[in-house]
Amino acid sequence: MNYKKILFALLLPLGSVAQKQPADYVNPLIGSAPSTTESAKKHSEAGSEMKGQIVPAIGVPQGMTSWTPQTRATELKCIPPFYYNDTKIQGFRGTHWMNGSCVQDYGSVTIMPMSGKLNVNTTDRGSDFDRKTETVKPSYYQVTLKKGNIKAEMTALSRAGFLQFNFSQNQENYIVVEPNSDEGEGFVEVHPEKNEIVGYNPVHRIYQGVGKPAGFSGYFVIQFDQTFTDFGVWKNNEINNKVTQAQGNGQKQTVGAYAQFGNKLVKVRIGTSFTSLEGARKNLEGEINHWDFSKTRQASNNAWNKALSKIQVKGSEYDKTLFYSALYHAKLTPRVFSDIDGTYTGFADDDNIYQAKGFDYYEDYNLWDTYRAVHPLHTLLEPKVTADMMQSLVKKAEQGTWLPIFPCWNNYTAAMIGDHATAAIGDAYIKGIKGFDIKTAYKFMRKNAFEVNTDQKSYEEGKGRRGLASYLQYNYIPLEDSVWQAFHKREQVSRTLEYAYDDFVLAQVAKKLGEKADYETLMKRSKNYQNVIDPQTGYARGRYADGTWIKTFDPFAQRSSFITEGSPAQYTFYVPQDVEGLIKHIGGEKRFIEKLDTLFDQGYYWHGNEPNNQIVYLYPFANQAWKTQEKVRQIIREEYDISAGGMSGNEDGGQMSAWLVFSMMGYYPVCPGTPNYIIGSPTFEETTLNLPNGKTFKIIAKGNSAKTPYIQSATLNGKPFTQNFLTHQQIMAGGILDLKISSHKSL
């Protein structure tokens, strides 16, 4: 034992031991390795959802461009730029990867330092590295590349990044720049007189309109603090010294630029934009107009601590890491898409340039997933961000003429089922978010719900609800309708269930706006779930147009053609808008509980995909809240951990993490579009929300432990509290929810 070190520590002044801040607990690597959970191994289709699909995103909350080490060169669908188990780093990428998704990166650029012989081949230039040399924080990444013994560091703000490379030798030090265009359409230009390299990477679509240009590019302006001693470009790995331009012609050529430096330390700052090179330059000048790396790192760290400290928790160091890492992951997308001056490119086919006045324009909404908990979390903690996100959806609808279903890379996709922009907008409005145009939003939400898009071309491009004509005719989507103009085809039962929910949320908006006739029609449609849940078996089941049920039927089949990414048994419980009605429809509380228990006790529950996320919170509706309290705790411990493989299934835009944030706090928004949160069992002894209105809401669970999940009694602001739910208004009013927790089941 080193007693000198201990004595020195004791002699330090108290103020010299800095208290850990929330960002210090974040592990951005969680979810970047294959999942280690048993449910993921059992339920993932061909292993596709074994991966959290997360990259360590360095920057700020909701940043336009994040920075990550690159271990995969492509922008292909379902391949993120970083996998934890890869052993070589190919560069450092300015990325627009949608965290935890199976979509695509786009408009990205990669920067790589090297010493000795110049090697521009993306794979060959990769360097081994030692994870022991890595530092990975939300605001900072650092690693030593073994090839050349180069220390690389990254930090970033929203639209601009800052990298610095410390070379171990004084000569033959290079930095290469590569726009990652799989189609071979990248462009680079070297300005040696300015110590600058600029360029762009055109964006292409997937899902609807796959392969078509998206109508914009990822632009970058890269500035160096050192004079170039040499420079050039390459095309298809052929180096052209002293040439200043390279342009791909769409034949899958790799293009890039390089610069050589004589000094050991080279600093690099990068502005990015989706509008133009001029926009990228303005963004750089507006966010990083200096060469002080530590100043930018501190600004990034401050942004994360400001966002994460809106929730303060008291508990173990392990649980703080789990919690704050989840909160970090829930704050990456949607991303800011507009430039620092508000400029942004028009949505979908609109090629105009617009000015966002009074709001930031956002893009990349994983809406099939994120309406469930990510957007409600923003609504609770960040009302201005929520308002801007909702106004961005309104602008997309105005420019594209239909409210988008799943807008990504500034285009329609219809990538998933449902119509959940309606759910996100409706939830924000019902919970009192102001600062967006709800009347225009309602016009387009109503259009999606009531109008069949009869224009074949635009329908195929993703405009309008899929299968709406059948839904309106039969009050469900029959098996005869294959819904072929969608990425996910068929899945008729799941579509019906999700439309019924969306109709309910739209009904709440209609009611608040005084649209009585719409409210009544939509509330009737919200009962359409009854048409695809067979009361005899008590399970969701495929149904033909003549009303007969599909004969070959296994409620526990891991995949059915009429169900989206799950089993009929799992989707049976997707009726968040009318759980009491569902209980009655399938035969009462006893049968309802039996079916819930079967899912959990016999291994049919799959936490790793979103249609399951609300299921554990349904027990209170049948007067067995203690089972929710017990099983929530169990899910947290079995489905999440702080390792790189500690995510059960795709993260999907932060949804899996947002579930964890809410659940560790002790409640969950089972039905966005209503102001209620169902109470579970808090992980922490104390959780404090620092609310945007200046008030605080605190949950105290004294004596809380792994062996005490059950709530015996509660008081709210000193008065007895017997509800199984909290309202949004109760939370926003501030106060203290005091829980008596024990190891005894509260029946």
Side-chain angles (χ1 to χ4, degrees):
M1 182 177 288
N2 191 331
Y3 291 97
K4 288 184 178 180
K5 286 186 178 180
I6 293 175
L7 179 61
F8 178 73
L10 291 173
L11 292 174
L12 284 173
L14 292 176
S16 65
V17 182
Q19 184 177 359
K20 289 181 76 172
Q21 297 295 310
D24 297 327
Y25 288 102
V26 175
N27 177 8
L29 292 172
I30 294 173
S32 63
S35 176
T36 57
T37 70
E38 289 303 315
S39 70
K41 295 175 184 177
K42 178 177 180 179
H43 293 281
S44 178
E45 188 174 33
S48 64
E49 280 143 331
M50 284 287 291
K51 301 167 184 174
Q53 295 289 86
I54 284 174
V55 305
I58 314 305
V60 295
Q62 323 303 151
M64 172 186 282
T65 303
S66 299
W67 288 84
T68 189
Q70 175 183 302
T71 66
R72 302 285 175 103
T74 182
E75 288 186 335
L76 288 176
K77 179 177 179 286
C78 293
I79 303 197
F82 176 89
Y83 280 114
Y84 182 84
N85 290 343
D86 290 342
T87 60
K88 294 182 184 294
I89 289 176
Q90 303 167 340
F92 303 93
R93 182 186 290 201
T95 177
H96 307 114
W97 178 253
M98 293 168 63
N99 60 310
S101 64
C102 193
V103 289
Q104 66 176 357
D105 200 355
Y106 64 89
S108 68
V109 60
T110 298
I111 299 170
M112 179 65 171
M114 63 186 68
S115 293
K117 183 179 179 181
L118 177 64
N119 188 340
V120 299
N121 181 279
T122 308
T123 302
D124 293 347
R125 75 184 184 220
S127 173
D128 293 329
F129 65 102
D130 187 343
R131 293 224 173 267
K132 294 178 182 177
T133 72
E134 262 190 326
T135 302
V136 191
K137 296 293 181 184
S139 59
Y140 178 68
Y141 179 87
Q142 178 267 320
V143 72
T144 297
L145 302 174
K146 289 187 176 181
K147 189 183 288 187
N149 190 28
I150 303 167
K151 180 181 178 181
E153 297 174 275
M154 289 191 297
T155 189
L157 298 179
S158 179
R159 305 168 179 89
F162 202 145
L163 285 69
Q164 63 181 19
F165 304 113
N166 202 325
F167 297 92
S168 59
Q169 60 187 44
N170 282 325
Q171 56 185 354
E172 291 188 303
N173 297 323
Y174 297 94
I175 294 176
V176 301
V177 174
E178 183 173 7
N180 303 301
S181 173
D182 287 324
E183 295 79 12
E185 296 179 356
F187 170 80
V188 288
E189 185 173 14
V190 184
H191 297 292
E193 74 285 358
K194 297 181 180 178
N195 303 330
E196 186 176 271
I197 297 174
V198 305
Y200 58 79
N201 176 5
V203 179
H204 289 74
R205 299 167 64 185
I206 61 174
Y207 299 121
Q208 275 64 44
V210 61
K212 293 181 180 179
F216 67 98
S217 298
Y219 296 90
F220 55 87
V221 171
I222 304 175
Q223 298 175 345
F224 303 84
D225 74 330
Q226 305 291 325
T227 301
F228 301 170
T229 59
D230 199 3
F231 64 88
V233 297
W234 80 83
K235 182 185 267 190
N236 282 341
N237 300 325
E238 182 180 335
I239 296 172
N240 298 295
N241 185 248
K242 293 292 193 293
V243 176
T244 60
Q245 278 192 13
Q247 170 80 66
N249 62 11
Q251 300 301 313
K252 299 190 179 298
Q253 303 98 333
T254 59
V255 301
Y258 68 90
Q260 185 177 358
F261 301 91
N263 291 353
K264 285 187 175 182
L265 180 64
V266 179
K267 296 183 178 183
V268 189
R269 60 189 187 190
I270 311 99
T272 63
S273 170
F274 295 119
T275 61
S276 63
L277 289 175
E278 181 186 3
R281 192 179 302 279
K282 285 182 179 179
N283 290 340
L284 178 56
E285 292 171 351
E287 291 191 351
I288 307 177
N289 61 358
H290 55 80
W291 289 105
D292 188 339
F293 182 89
S294 61
K295 182 178 179 180
T296 302
R297 178 182 175 184
Q298 188 61 55
S300 173
N301 193 55
N302 289 345
W304 277 113
N305 278 320
K306 180 180 179 181
L308 300 177
S309 64
K310 293 184 178 182
I311 308 177
Q312 295 175 318
V313 296
K314 291 184 179 180
S316 70
E317 296 294 282
Y318 178 95
D319 282 342
K320 287 180 180 178
T321 294
L322 196 62
F323 179 82
Y324 283 117
S325 297
L327 186 54
Y328 152 81
H329 280 132
K331 287 181 169 288
L332 296 176
T333 53
R335 77 181 76 257
V336 169
F337 202 78
S338 51
D339 289 339
I340 199 166
D341 62 0
T343 304
Y344 67 95
T345 59
F347 183 68
D349 298 327
D350 190 333
D351 295 328
N352 293 307
I353 297 295
Y354 290 90
Q355 195 83 16
K357 296 181 179 179
F359 74 102
D360 286 324
Y361 178 81
Y362 283 84
E363 186 47 58
D364 292 345
Y365 294 72
N366 283 61
L367 280 171
W368 186 68
D369 315 277
T370 55
Y371 83 88
R372 304 166 196 267
V374 175
H375 285 290
L377 187 61
H378 291 321
T379 295
L380 192 61
L381 301 177
E382 307 280 358
K384 177 61 167 67
V385 169
T386 292
D388 287 2
M389 289 178 179
M390 299 308 110
Q391 184 65 8
S392 298
L393 289 172
V394 172
K395 291 300 179 183
K396 294 177 199 302
E398 287 183 325
Q399 293 160 21
T401 70
W402 290 84
L403 186 66
I405 304 294
F406 195 96
C408 300
W409 40 97
N410 213 32
N411 269 274
Y412 291 96
T413 70
M416 296 298 296
I417 70 169
D419 187 13
H420 300 317
T422 291
I425 293 170
D427 185 57
Y429 179 59
I430 293 301
K431 289 175 179 172
I433 296 296
K434 302 184 186 308
F436 70 98
D437 185 353
I438 185 58
K439 290 186 177 180
T440 300
Y442 182 76
K443 180 181 75 171
F444 285 105
M445 289 190 287
R446 189 187 189 285
K447 180 179 181 180
N448 272 28
F450 285 91
E451 293 185 28
V452 175
N453 185 358
T454 57
D455 181 80
Q456 192 70 17
K457 182 179 179 181
S458 70
Y459 182 64
E460 290 179 11
E461 288 282 303
K463 298 182 180 183
R465 283 193 187 184
R466 310 292 93 176
L468 181 61
S470 291
Y471 180 76
L472 294 178
Q473 180 179 352
Y474 298 100
N475 295 314
Y476 64 96
I477 301 178
L479 294 174
E480 288 90 343
D481 188 345
S482 66
V483 200
W484 66 268
Q485 304 99 329
F487 179 74
H488 279 245
K489 297 168 177 56
R490 297 180 291 277
E491 302 181 2
Q492 300 91 339
V493 169
S494 294
R495 292 179 192 279
T496 300
L497 292 171
E498 298 202 16
Y499 287 163
Y501 161 72
D502 290 322
D503 289 341
F504 170 84
V505 176
L506 187 53
Q508 308 315 300
V509 177
K511 183 179 181 181
K512 191 171 179 179
L513 289 174
E515 301 286 348
K516 185 178 179 181
D518 283 355
Y519 168 75
E520 292 174 351
T521 298
L522 290 162
M523 282 302 292
K524 184 178 180 181
R525 282 168 49 171
S526 75
K527 306 292 185 182
N528 283 345
Y529 70 87
Q530 297 174 353
N531 299 324
V532 291
I533 296 178
D534 176 11
Q536 183 175 351
T537 64
Y539 286 113
R541 188 171 181 179
R543 196 172 194 180
Y544 295 101
D546 64 4
T548 59
W549 300 100
I550 191 170
K551 289 184 173 56
T552 303
F553 174 65
D554 176 4
F556 303 107
Q558 287 185 205
R559 292 293 188 277
S560 295
S561 66
F562 50 84
I563 295 292
T564 302
E565 296 184 6
S567 71
Q570 292 162 359
Y571 244 103
T572 297
F573 298 100
Y574 186 79
V575 188
Q577 74 276 18
D578 188 20
V579 182
E580 294 90 347
L582 173 65
I583 292 171
K584 183 178 180 181
H585 182 71
I586 67 172
E589 288 186 0
K590 183 175 183 295
R591 198 180 190 206
F592 181 78
I593 292 294
E594 287 173 351
K595 290 183 179 298
L596 281 176
D597 287 346
T598 297
L599 275 186
F600 290 103
D601 298 343
Q602 297 185 26
Y604 293 120
Y605 173 77
W606 178 22
H607 187 69
N609 215 346
E610 283 69 26
N612 291 256
N613 281 182
Q614 85 287 349
I615 293 177
V616 72
Y617 284 94
L618 300 184
Y619 282 104
F621 291 90
N623 299 306
Q624 291 200 13
W626 66 272
K627 288 188 176 179
T628 287
Q629 296 158 18
E630 177 182 87
K631 295 181 189 305
V632 163
R633 293 284 194 95
Q634 183 180 351
I635 291 169
I636 290 172
R637 296 310 173 196
E638 291 182 356
E639 303 293 340
Y640 299 87
D641 63 52
I642 63 173
S643 72
M647 183 74 68
S648 177
N650 294 172
E651 160 79 327
D652 285 328
Q655 171 56 27
M656 297 297 293
S657 289
W659 184 96
L660 184 61
V661 170
F662 271 116
S663 294
M664 292 185 81
M665 288 196 295
Y667 50 94
Y668 186 77
V670 166
C671 185
T674 69
N676 301 329
Y677 304 85
I678 304 301
I679 295 173
S681 180
T683 300
F684 299 104
E685 184 174 314
E686 192 171 300
T687 303
T688 302
L689 268 69
N690 297 307
L691 297 165
N693 59 12
K695 298 180 181 181
T696 61
F697 184 79
K698 186 177 293 187
I699 296 178
I700 298 174
K702 288 183 179 178
N704 203 354
S705 73
K707 296 181 179 179
T708 57
Y710 304 110
I711 299 173
Q712 304 299 304
S713 62
T715 61
L716 180 61
N717 298 328
K719 297 180 181 180
F721 185 78
T722 58
Q723 296 174 174
N724 285 321
F725 63 92
L726 285 163
T727 69
H728 190 72
Q729 291 76 13
Q730 286 171 329
I731 293 172
M732 297 305 293
I736 298 174
L737 179 65
D738 210 325
L739 304 175
K740 183 180 179 182
I741 307 283
S742 85
S743 59
H744 301 292
K745 299 174 182 177
S746 179
L747 301 177

